[in-house]
Amino acid sequence: MNSVESVPVTIITGGSRGIGAAIARKLAKAGHNIVITYQSNTVAAAEVSNDVRKAGQECLALQADMAVEADIVAAFEAAKKQFGRVTGLVNNAGITGWLGKITDQKSEDIQAVFDVNCVGLFLCCKYAAREMSISLGGNGGNIVNISSGAATIGGPNEYVHYAASKAAVDAATVGLSKELGQEGIRVNAVAPGAVYTDIHAAGGQPDKAERVGSGTPLGRAGQPEEIANAVAWLMSDEASYTTGAVLRVAGGR
Ligand code: NAP
């Protein structure tokens, strides 16, 4: 079993809205002190911070662009200054870019998706592993990456580049779980299906969750809390022998 310090300290990237906000609220109830990063929505970040504090835990909300390494480094430094060694990381920040066929996709949108969903995620794993690795003086820890069901479906006509970025997240999860197991770090992923959040409107299709959800075996889209429940299990000692797993939470799709 990997050992974590008595009060877990967990960084959730993109914790101000949607799935990340639900994860922050859930992990606070599970006794974690929380660091959320966000891109620009200070009001939403403050609301999540208040909810974490109402649950009896401490919360640090940091504006930090997960596509910028200096912001990621600053976030890990601020977290350590406030709480000491980080024991948990949820790589949740993610973007789809504009939904459309490959023939209409812009190079800057494709680049931005990989910058946030892949490069930012890898850098967060790097700085978390430096804090957590037993051979570097850490006490182990947990990393959960938020992938997507799109990684195995491919996202045709909408966002194949996004699906590919999430397939990279799955590969990173498997590889890093093997690399970091002996360091006391478990690395897992949750792959949500369509979930009711603002991400679909940002990509130009506000009704996407409803539309895709109605075609799933369970007949509906998911709620952010249903994804947060899976993340909380993977972060908990109940999942102590689980690493390298990609847990699909997608209503059967
Ligand atoms: P969302 O509602 O659009 O929220 C995105 C969150 O990430 C916000 O907190 C946002 O901050 C933050 N963020 C975006 N870009 C960022 C950046 N460059 N740096 C730092 N923070 C950034 O998204 P969501 O639907 O909850 O998605 C969360 C994760 O789940 C993503 O990885 C997504 O790919 C994955 N996912 C979602 C679905 C779905 O149907 N919703 C399905 C499968 C997978 P601000 O509030 O400041 O903008």
Side-chain angles (χ1 to χ4, degrees):
M1 183 160 89
N2 64 330
S3 104
V4 290
E5 281 149 34
S6 51
V7 178
V9 176
T10 298
I11 297 182
I12 303 157
T13 69
S16 52
R17 291 186 293 117
I19 292 168
I23 293 168
R25 292 181 173 111
K26 179 76 183 179
L27 292 183
K29 284 184 189 149
H32 294 232
N33 285 333
I34 301 290
V35 179
I36 58 169
T37 69
Y38 64 98
Q39 186 171 38
S40 59
N41 197 328
T42 307
V43 173
E47 281 172 18
V48 174
S49 300
N50 283 340
D51 288 345
V52 168
R53 291 183 193 113
K54 275 186 210 156
Q57 299 302 134
E58 294 179 52
C59 190
L60 182 63
L62 302 167
Q63 192 284 324
D65 188 339
M66 292 299 107
V68 176
E69 183 167 13
D71 282 16
I72 292 169
V73 170
F76 274 86
E77 282 175 356
K80 193 170 185 180
K81 193 172 173 199
Q82 177 96 2
F83 293 122
R85 211 175 268 276
V86 168
T87 63
L89 168 67
V90 182
N91 276 310
N92 166 80
I95 56 173
T96 62
W98 192 255
L99 272 57
K101 290 177 184 294
I102 186 68
T103 44
D104 298 327
Q105 291 291 348
K106 293 181 182 151
S107 61
E108 57 266 34
D109 282 358
I110 296 169
Q111 185 72 55
V113 165
F114 279 90
D115 284 348
V116 177
N117 298 6
C118 295
V119 181
L121 176 141
F122 269 104
L123 291 173
C124 286
C125 288
K126 167 182 170 170
Y127 293 109
R130 284 187 176 181
E131 297 263 313
M132 298 171 182
S133 291
I134 291 168
S135 67
L136 298 176
N139 291 314
N142 283 306
I143 297 174
V144 175
N145 297 320
I146 305 302
S147 177
S148 170
T152 58
I153 295 171
N157 303 308
E158 294 186 331
Y159 46 30
V160 175
H161 56 299
Y162 169 77
S165 78
K166 293 299 189 176
V169 170
D170 291 356
T173 301
V174 172
L176 291 176
S177 72
K178 293 176 179 175
E179 184 169 323
L180 297 173
Q182 290 296 308
E183 297 289 356
I185 304 169
R186 293 190 293 107
V187 185
N188 292 289
V190 170
V195 177
Y196 289 109
T197 72
D198 299 337
I199 201 169
H200 312 291
Q205 290 196 11
D207 63 344
K208 182 173 161 73
E210 191 74 42
R211 177 170 49 78
V212 173
S214 64
T216 65
L218 292 188
R220 64 175 177 84
Q223 295 294 341
E225 292 73 19
E226 294 177 289
I227 309 306
N229 290 341
V231 173
W233 177 72
L234 286 169
M235 296 291 289
S236 78
D237 286 344
E238 291 191 354
S240 53
Y241 198 55
T242 303
T243 195
V246 179
L247 176 54
R248 197 176 190 89
V249 185
R253 184 164 183 258

